[in-house]
Amino acid sequence: MNTIKQINFENRTVLLREDLNVPFDKNGILSDVRISAALSTIRFLIEKRAKVIVMSHLGRPKGEDPDFSLQIVADRLGQYLQKTVPVFSLSDTPPALEAGGVAMLENVRFYKGESENDPGLAKRYAALCDIFMMDAFAVSHRDHASTTGVIAQSPVVCMGPLFAKELAALNQALECPKRPWVAVVGGGKVSSKLEVLLNLIDKVDTLVVGGAIANTFLKAKGIFVGQSRIEPELVATAERILQTAQDLNKTIWLPEDVIVADNMDAANVEHKLVTQISASDQIFDIGPQSQKSLSKLLLDAKTIVWNGPMGVFEKPQFSAGTEALSQAIADSTAYSIAGGGETLAAIEQFKIQEKVSVLSTGGGAFLQLLEAKPLPALVALERHDSIDSTVDVAP
């Protein structure tokens, strides 16, 4: 496929797919990590004197909804770039951009046929540009009009640098990791991470299982977990994963002590060994002994892949486990990759952004790659014959 070094962008209109799906409320943007991540690509195109149209989704609107307009994102982007970034709808006449100018297409989820990958909609996207740049690794697992559809319809396509960086980092970790290699998988549901666990167990040296996922594994080991959240239908699957690890001489790390309470909002919490859990207890975090053993494990690692927290870190009384995990990764000399929405939120909360080797903006795409499944947008890029006589290609 084309790389950005092969294409002359000057005075060409580039339709740039980014993931600018930032969290926000009535008071504004809560985190602009994804905007910051996209800045280097946008500035690169500005320096190359391209005419840049940024496209993204925001939230899950049902049709056009002013509450989900990308205007809030364009305003923040404009502050970073110190220039006005106009927002226009697909039904509008696109703004006349000069070389180095930037505009933003309104939320792609406003348009009928986006998630169904309607060819007509994809063709309308492609008509906006001379070159389509796919830079949103985070949505590369989606077969949508603004991802795979527009790639098929555009005369010239290329992978953006943010996409390339995340993909290269993950491939390095998965295909030629330095060892010991530790994968940390946390979060709420075994079902959402099952394929990841199954794919990683024969690759990593140690698989750390935390968060509510760990409860199902503790149950599979015959440990009573009280009222803690589990997935009963996957207990047998967890038993098989534990047996597979034993057969392969791999280690599955599970917490030995936990922080429990009657409910998530309880002010009074207790520290207990996993063998001491009572009928009314719910597990919401790992305990200090587990924090210590996990930290040592990570400090000795050479490669770390992290997806998912150790507990309900948004609550101060249940944040210590994920904070200890974050700090251990920050202190480690390992090549570290972290991805997923909750993981990025934890990284921002505990301020270790500069200490992680690679931050993956993708949640679903990150998981799909860990599951060893193809990414539709990457497949589309690889299949596209994008050298076209209407675009100058640098020697």
Side-chain angles (χ1 to χ4, degrees):
M1 70 184 75
N2 279 334
T3 67
I4 57 176
K5 292 181 180 180
Q6 292 175 289
I7 298 177
N8 179 5
F9 294 102
E10 186 169 0
N11 284 315
R12 303 293 183 181
T13 300
V14 179
L15 183 60
L16 174 66
R17 180 58 160 105
E18 293 287 358
D19 177 19
L20 304 179
N21 184 30
V22 298
F24 68 99
D25 61 18
K26 62 181 180 181
N27 297 315
I29 292 173
L30 302 175
S31 168
D32 67 1
V33 169
R34 284 175 170 156
I35 299 173
S36 298
L39 277 174
S40 60
T41 300
I42 296 170
R43 285 175 172 150
F44 166 83
L45 291 171
I46 291 172
E47 290 171 3
K48 294 298 181 181
R49 295 182 51 78
K51 302 172 184 179
V52 185
I53 297 175
V54 183
M55 70 188 311
S56 177
H57 68 286
L58 181 64
R60 298 182 180 274
K62 304 297 183 183
E64 292 191 35
D65 184 340
D67 290 340
F68 291 92
S69 172
L70 278 171
Q71 186 65 57
I72 189 174
V73 176
D75 291 343
R76 179 65 60 86
L77 179 60
Q79 291 172 13
Y80 278 118
L81 297 176
Q82 297 185 319
K83 62 172 65 184
T84 300
V85 178
V87 179
F88 69 99
S89 174
L90 200 56
S91 59
D92 300 332
T93 299
L97 294 174
E98 297 182 353
V102 181
M104 186 171 289
L105 179 66
E106 188 54 280
N107 193 339
V108 295
R109 290 188 173 167
F110 283 5
Y111 309 123
K112 185 177 180 180
E114 163 61 17
S115 60
E116 295 80 15
N117 194 4
D118 177 68
L121 178 60
K123 191 172 184 178
R124 293 176 70 190
Y125 290 149
L128 295 171
C129 67
D130 301 305
I131 303 162
F132 175 73
M133 180 181 286
M134 181 60 183
D135 199 39
F137 173 80
V139 294
S140 60
H141 64 304
R142 300 193 183 280
D143 190 16
H144 289 181
S146 66
T147 57
T148 56
V150 66
I151 290 172
Q153 299 283 357
S154 296
V156 176
V157 303
C158 62
M159 181 188 292
L162 179 60
F163 190 124
K165 178 183 177 182
E166 294 193 38
L167 187 64
L170 282 164
N171 282 337
Q172 177 178 329
L174 294 173
E175 295 176 9
C176 50
K178 293 182 178 179
R179 296 184 181 276
W181 177 16
V182 178
V184 181
V185 181
K189 296 175 68 177
V190 176
S191 55
S192 65
K193 307 286 178 73
L194 181 59
E195 293 297 326
V196 174
L197 296 169
L198 291 170
N199 184 51
L200 290 179
I201 191 60
D202 67 337
K203 295 181 173 64
V204 301
D205 298 295
T206 302
L207 179 60
V208 172
V209 180
I213 293 175
N215 301 339
T216 301
F217 278 79
L218 291 172
K219 178 75 171 178
K221 292 186 71 173
I223 295 172
F224 181 67
V225 294
Q227 297 298 311
S228 304
R229 177 180 176 181
I230 67 167
E231 294 170 85
E233 71 281 5
L234 290 175
V235 171
T237 302
E239 290 174 352
R240 288 198 299 273
I241 293 173
L242 289 166
Q243 185 60 53
T244 299
Q246 184 175 324
D247 294 342
L248 294 171
N249 198 28
K250 303 289 185 174
T251 300
I252 291 185
W253 181 98
L254 289 166
E256 57 193 292
D257 64 331
V258 290
I259 304 300
V260 300
D262 291 338
N263 61 78
M264 193 184 299
D265 296 315
N268 296 322
V269 302
E270 292 184 77
H271 166 231
K272 293 185 176 184
L273 297 176
V274 294
T275 55
Q276 298 174 329
I277 296 169
S278 65
S280 62
D281 287 337
Q282 294 185 58
I283 301 171
F284 292 114
D285 195 13
I286 62 173
Q289 292 173 218
S290 298
Q291 294 167 28
K292 185 176 180 180
S293 70
L294 178 57
S295 296
K296 183 180 186 308
L297 177 67
L298 295 172
L299 288 171
D300 292 339
K302 296 299 183 185
T303 301
I304 301 170
V305 176
W306 174 26
N307 178 265
M310 292 294 99
V312 188
F313 68 93
E314 300 89 346
K315 303 279 186 179
Q317 65 270 39
F318 305 124
S319 64
T322 304
E323 183 173 12
L325 165 64
S326 301
Q327 192 57 53
I329 292 175
D331 293 341
S332 172
T333 59
Y335 182 74
S336 56
I337 306 171
E342 284 185 310
T343 308
L344 292 179
I347 286 169
E348 189 169 19
Q349 179 171 318
F350 301 119
K351 304 185 188 312
I352 65 162
Q353 294 95 320
E354 303 302 319
K355 301 291 187 176
V356 179
S357 304
V358 177
L359 294 177
S360 175
T361 57
F366 183 86
L367 289 176
Q368 196 152 314
L369 208 60
L370 293 183
E371 292 167 4
K373 293 180 179 177
L375 299 172
L378 179 59
V379 172
L381 284 169
E382 291 171 338
R383 289 177 176 172
H384 193 287
D385 181 12
S386 59
I387 301 300
D388 187 275
S389 61
T390 62
V391 177
D392 298 327
V393 178

